[in-house]
Amino acid sequence: MRRDIPQDGVRRNEMIRAREVRVIGAEGDQLGILSSSEAMALARESGLDLVEVSATSDPPVCRIMDYGKFKYEQQKKKADAKKRQSVIQIKEIKVRPKTDDHDYETKLRHIRRFLEGGDRCKVTVFFRGREIVHKDRGVAILERMVRDLADIAKLEQEPRAEGRTLQMLLVPKK
């Protein structure tokens, strides 16, 4: 890493090496092209920092501002953007072809809660032993779930068989 560039990547005050810089005042007004020492003196007079905004332009653009406040606002914007970002998860509920009505209702409540929370839900019917012969029971359970959840969910992936399981994917309606 070069010495003249600080860790946060923003040159300020004495770190600015250019002879001449285009200066933007604290209020956003253009002050024109000044020598870096003049610009530094202006910044010190107002009790602020001279911060390099665009190093690639010719001459480099610097702004007179409170660097600590600027850095704090950048962190706030970053945190706010992260907070607004939503992560959609896929929740999975497993049932068996012999699942009783009460257990079915409990699983249905869980799926409803997941979907209302904005998550997708993968419903898996898994077969043990010779239950695999009765795939129609598994399909019936999945179709019943789609009917019972029709008010808040739509089917994204039709029920499909994979080995000893039947799976479908439900997504919340907008």
Side-chain angles (χ1 to χ4, degrees), residues 4-5 54 59 78 97 110 117 143 153 174:
D4 61 337
I5 300 174
S54 173
K78 204 176 195 180
H110 289 304
E143 287 172 351
K174 297 284 184 253

Side-chain angles (χ1 to χ4, degrees), residues 13 32 52-53 83 92 95 115 117 171:
N13 300 329
E52 194 172 56
V53 179
K83 195 187 303 179
E92 185 174 11
V95 293
L115 292 168
V171 293

Side-chain angles (χ1 to χ4, degrees), residues 108-142:
L108 201 65
R109 273 197 308 274
H110 289 304
I111 294 170
R112 191 172 288 275
R113 188 183 69 216
F114 295 149
L115 292 168
E116 286 169 352
D119 294 322
R120 295 169 166 211
C121 193
K122 179 177 173 182
V123 183
T124 305
V125 179
F126 63 101
F127 300 94
R128 285 194 193 146
R130 298 188 65 190
E131 290 175 346
I132 196 77
V133 178
H134 302 288
K135 275 193 179 169
D136 55 322
R137 287 185 184 173
V139 171
I141 287 176
L142 293 179

Side-chain angles (χ1 to χ4, degrees), residues 65-76:
M65 66 170 89
D66 182 356
Y67 182 70
K69 187 176 178 182
F70 169 72
K71 198 170 175 185
Y72 173 75
E73 285 171 358
Q74 275 187 328
Q75 281 180 329
K76 279 290 186 190

Side-chain angles (χ1 to χ4, degrees), residues 3-174:
R3 278 190 200 163
D4 61 337
I5 300 174
Q7 280 186 327
D8 58 7
V10 180
R11 287 191 192 116
R12 59 194 174 277
N13 300 329
E14 288 81 26
M15 293 178 204
I16 298 170
R17 297 280 177 231
R19 271 192 223 124
E20 289 185 330
V21 291
R22 184 176 301 275
V23 182
I24 301 171
E27 305 300 317
D29 48 322
Q30 293 278 342
L31 300 178
I33 297 173
L34 304 170
S35 70
S36 58
S37 57
E38 286 178 59
M40 193 78 73
L42 277 172
R44 283 208 180 100
E45 269 179 34
S46 55
L48 298 171
D49 299 304
L50 184 67
V51 180
E52 194 172 56
V53 179
S54 173
T56 56
S57 61
D58 188 37
V61 180
C62 294
R63 186 172 190 152
I64 296 174
M65 66 170 89
D66 182 356
Y67 182 70
K69 187 176 178 182
F70 169 72
K71 198 170 175 185
Y72 173 75
E73 285 171 358
Q74 275 187 328
Q75 281 180 329
K76 279 290 186 190
K77 283 179 188 172
K78 204 176 195 180
D80 200 35
K82 192 173 181 181
K83 195 187 303 179
R84 273 189 257 114
Q85 199 175 49
S86 65
V87 178
I88 298 173
Q89 291 184 323
I90 296 181
K91 304 284 189 171
E92 185 174 11
I93 292 287
K94 294 182 178 180
V95 293
R96 301 247 338 268
K98 293 181 179 179
T99 301
D100 200 35
D101 284 339
H102 180 265
D103 295 330
Y104 171 83
E105 293 298 325
T106 304
K107 304 241 183 207
L108 201 65
R109 273 197 308 274
H110 289 304
I111 294 170
R112 191 172 288 275
R113 188 183 69 216
F114 295 149
L115 292 168
E116 286 169 352
D119 294 322
R120 295 169 166 211
C121 193
K122 179 177 173 182
V123 183
T124 305
V125 179
F126 63 101
F127 300 94
R128 285 194 193 146
R130 298 188 65 190
E131 290 175 346
I132 196 77
V133 178
H134 302 288
K135 275 193 179 169
D136 55 322
R137 287 185 184 173
V139 171
I141 287 176
L142 293 179
E143 287 172 351
R144 181 178 165 199
M145 277 194 180
V146 171
R147 277 194 313 274
D148 292 345
L149 294 167
D151 58 327
I152 64 162
K154 65 181 179 187
L155 191 63
E156 184 176 275
Q157 183 181 325
E158 293 287 328
R160 71 165 197 248
E162 282 183 25
R164 294 191 150 283
T165 63
L166 265 175
Q167 298 176 338
M168 74 173 177
L169 192 64
L170 296 170
V171 293
K173 282 185 178 176
K174 297 284 184 253

